[in-house]
Amino acid sequence: MIEREISKLQTATLSRIQAATTLEELESIRVDVLGRKGSLGHFSKHFLKLTPEERAPAGRALNTAKEEIARAFESKERAFADEALRQRLESEWIDLTLPAWGPRPGSLHPVTRIQVEIEELFSSLGFAVLDGPEVETEYYNFDALNIPTEHPARDMQDTFWLTDGNLLRTHTSPVQVRGMEKLGPPLRMIAPGRVFRNEEVDPSHEHTFYQVEGMMVDRDVSVAHLIYFMQTLLSAIFKREVKVRLRPGYFPFVEPGFELDIHCLICNGSGCPVCKQSGWVELLPCGLVHPNVLRMSSIDPEQWGGFAFGLGLTRLAMMRYGIDDIRLMQGGDLRFLSQF
Ligand code: 2NL
């Protein structure tokens, strides 16, 4: 009986399908049974030998078997697909209740940090914090500061001159000149900011750097006041005693003028590129404001006197953080910046 044979094949195939564990296995069963040389096809050939009466029930049995087997394949395939999806969902599961990373916090540049500290210190001492243009006139940058025409700072080698006769400020003094004009005496002010010099760049020279200048104008201001404020400033910055030395120094805008040097904090005085092997770093030029400078800004030097100083913020930050190459400061390298 061919129907029985078909039914046996159907049962066997259904259990093979049921037992299959992979898609590949399922495919090989499909080839075995439904393929061109498969076992079901084999029955079709036998049909030729059947009588017409035998053919109808055998055909029905064959069709039923084909349908059942096809349904079983379909449902097994669906089961495989469901399982694959379940496994994917399992492995790709994320916990949506975890807190987000949030924005990566940035940090202040070492120069900015020192600048903010100095601004806070001087604010607490009654000084105004002033800002001013980076492109200046020759008058504010040089003439008003008693810097003579033949002074080397005016040379092309030292100053970035613009084609219109203006220049990139070489110090923040022009901000103080503007401050004297605007505020009038008595006054206390500091002027932090970016300045520019036409320098050959090396580990201790940059064309762009930061400084803060400060000035106090009042009645009877003396070198004693100057020294008091400079000591207050340095102990606040270094949070410890630093060795200093005071030498006479010449600056056209002060008289008398001083060079205040500190013992090099990088090499502890033994000599390094930053202190040019001397063990000392020029840190704080200062002095009493020159009468000509006061007069040019409409302050009567007979009535008023003042002290002034200029502090290199960039060099100070290098001292504070032990940075031995000034080029790192403007380099924008995140490996450097993210350390602060
Ligand atoms: C420097 C310069 C100093 C001043 C700057 C100053 C400004 C005015 C009047 C008088 Cl408007 N003085 N500034 C005074 C002494 C020294 O230093 O290049 N420092 C890094």
Side-chain angles (χ1 to χ4, degrees):
M1 278 282 282
I2 189 161
E3 286 95 322
R4 175 163 300 162
E5 294 298 315
I6 291 172
S7 162
K8 256 161 77 182
L9 176 66
Q10 178 181 331
T11 314
T13 304
L14 289 181
S15 62
R16 273 183 76 193
I17 291 173
Q18 201 49 52
T21 54
T22 65
L23 215 52
E24 292 74 46
E25 222 178 301
L26 207 58
E27 276 318 296
S28 81
I29 298 169
R30 196 195 305 276
V31 174
D32 281 355
V33 181
L34 303 175
R36 267 193 330 124
K37 292 181 180 166
S39 21
L40 271 182
H42 173 75
F43 283 116
S44 309
K45 282 180 209 136
H46 277 294
F47 272 41
L48 297 172
K49 299 178 191 153
L50 300 178
T51 63
E53 299 82 62
E54 286 170 327
R55 246 178 235 175
R60 271 197 297 276
L62 194 61
N63 281 339
T64 310
K66 276 183 182 163
E67 279 167 24
E68 287 294 315
I69 288 168
R71 231 197 312 281
F73 271 125
E74 235 176 75
S75 90
K76 192 69 181 178
E77 273 164 9
R78 209 175 313 114
F80 280 146
D82 287 352
E83 175 59 16
L85 180 63
R86 195 191 64 73
Q87 278 182 13
R88 223 185 108 187
L89 288 176
E90 183 97 338
S91 67
E92 292 177 9
W93 182 83
I94 50 166
D95 184 354
L96 294 177
T97 67
L98 280 176
W101 289 101
R104 197 182 56 171
S107 57
L108 294 180
H109 191 280
V111 168
T112 310
R113 286 172 62 159
I114 293 209
Q115 182 179 324
V116 168
E117 274 180 38
I118 291 174
E119 287 178 7
E120 281 170 0
L121 170 72
F122 277 104
S123 296
S124 79
L125 297 172
F127 284 65
V129 179
L130 302 185
D131 205 355
E134 292 181 342
V135 172
E136 268 295 359
T137 62
E138 191 171 0
Y139 174 78
Y140 280 111
N141 198 80
F142 293 130
D143 300 288
L145 286 153
N146 200 35
I147 298 175
T149 325
E150 69 277 10
H151 194 280
R154 292 209 178 199
D155 199 273
M156 296 273 288
Q157 307 283 308
D158 293 290
T159 302
F160 289 113
W161 289 93
L162 306 183
T163 48
D164 63 3
N166 290 328
L167 50 87
L168 297 186
R169 67 182 186 194
T170 58
H171 41 201
T172 56
S173 312
V175 182
Q176 307 217 84
V177 173
R178 292 171 184 279
M180 284 190 286
E181 289 177 353
K182 198 168 164 216
L183 303 172
L187 59 81
R188 297 173 188 200
M189 60 186 168
I190 60 166
R194 191 158 64 149
V195 301
F196 310 88
R197 304 254 173 106
N198 197 350
E199 295 274 6
E200 194 75 57
V201 174
D202 70 25
S204 49
H205 296 89
E206 254 287 14
H207 49 69
T208 301
F209 53 97
Y210 288 76
Q211 65 164 201
V212 55
E213 286 195 30
M215 180 192 278
M216 172 170 154
V217 176
D218 212 317
R219 310 230 182 239
D220 303 319
V221 173
S222 72
V223 174
H225 296 108
L226 169 63
I227 292 172
Y228 166 77
F229 277 97
M230 295 307 97
Q231 277 178 341
T232 305
L233 171 61
L234 292 173
S235 57
I237 291 168
F238 294 108
K239 297 182 179 73
R240 61 176 144 141
E241 290 296 307
V242 286
K243 262 205 211 162
V244 300
R245 70 180 184 186
L246 203 59
R247 294 177 285 128
Y250 169 72
F251 307 99
F253 31 86
V254 287
E255 179 57 35
F258 306 102
E259 285 280 12
L260 195 152
D261 301 341
I262 70 158
H263 208 224
C264 183
L265 295 173
I266 297 233
C267 64
N268 244 328
S270 64
C272 69
V274 170
C275 63
K276 299 193 195 103
Q277 312 304 329
S278 75
W280 293 90
V281 179
E282 262 182 49
L283 192 68
L284 231 169
C286 51
L288 297 185
V289 183
H290 197 289
N292 289 350
V293 171
L294 292 173
R295 208 175 288 117
M296 274 185 278
S297 292
S298 311
I299 297 175
D300 181 1
E302 301 297 329
Q303 304 263 345
W304 305 95
F307 70 75
F309 64 91
L311 181 62
L313 280 177
T314 302
R315 178 152 299 171
L316 196 60
M318 291 172 71
M319 295 271 101
R320 155 83 74 85
Y321 297 108
I323 298 160
D324 63 5
D325 193 328
I326 195 171
R327 292 167 293 192
L328 289 165
M329 295 302 220
Q330 293 253 115
D333 190 330
L334 287 177
R335 290 168 303 180
F336 169 74
L337 293 173
S338 59
Q339 296 177 55
F340 299 95

